[in-house]
Amino acid sequence: MATDQIPARVTATDAATALIRKLKDIHGPLMFHQSGGCCDGSAPMCFPDGEFKTGDQDVLLGEIEGSPFYIGRAQFEYWRHTQLIIDVVDGRGGMFSLEGPEGKRFLTRSRIFTDDEWNALKHAEQGNEQSKTEAGT
């Protein structure tokens, strides 16, 4: 990988993107939040965009199929060295997640970033922090 390429922190399989497109057709714009446990385990949860309230303790990892994907900051710190790969399998998902009635559930797989990918991410994040400091935000 060239050092100027920054890997996505979150991606989706073809099966997941197909389901996301179907859910968008039914529900309109979507958003995702990687659950950190409790009632729905550690499943990625899918909501109509804006229905799940995010705050200062949430990190926007990126987008899948044009839908924002968030994770809690504490969980992000634990998983920051990994790329999340959103997949879909048969079965009932979380009770609040939109895919449940489709007989499918989203599932998070992951892989550890390579050294080159990790270095590119660190460099990009340091540049973003420097830009925010210079802008006074």
Side-chain angles (χ1 to χ4, degrees), residues 61-76:
L61 282 187
E63 292 186 351
I64 52 175
E65 279 301 295
S67 300
F69 193 101
Y70 296 89
I71 187 171
R73 185 169 307 284
Q75 192 169 9
F76 171 72

Side-chain angles (χ1 to χ4, degrees), residues 37-127:
C38 185
C39 303
D40 293 309
S42 58
M45 303 293 288
C46 180
F47 304 98
D49 193 24
E51 185 173 301
F52 184 88
K53 301 301 179 206
T54 59
D56 291 343
Q57 292 304 309
D58 293 299
V59 175
L60 176 62
L61 282 187
E63 292 186 351
I64 52 175
E65 279 301 295
S67 300
F69 193 101
Y70 296 89
I71 187 171
R73 185 169 307 284
Q75 192 169 9
F76 171 72
E77 292 303 325
Y78 186 73
W79 285 3
R80 76 180 309 128
H81 296 87
T82 62
Q83 181 180 60
L84 301 187
I85 304 157
I86 307 308
D87 200 358
V88 65
V89 296
D90 291 332
R92 242 354 226 151
M95 64 180 147
F96 302 113
S97 195
L98 292 176
E99 78 278 10
E102 305 300 318
K104 304 284 185 187
R105 66 183 181 94
F106 288 110
L107 176 76
T108 301
R109 301 182 191 282
S110 64
R111 70 172 185 87
I112 296 175
F113 287 117
T114 66
D115 289 343
D116 286 345
E117 290 171 327
W118 179 240
N119 287 332
L121 276 168
K122 285 195 309 187
H123 180 70
E125 288 172 354
Q126 288 168 349

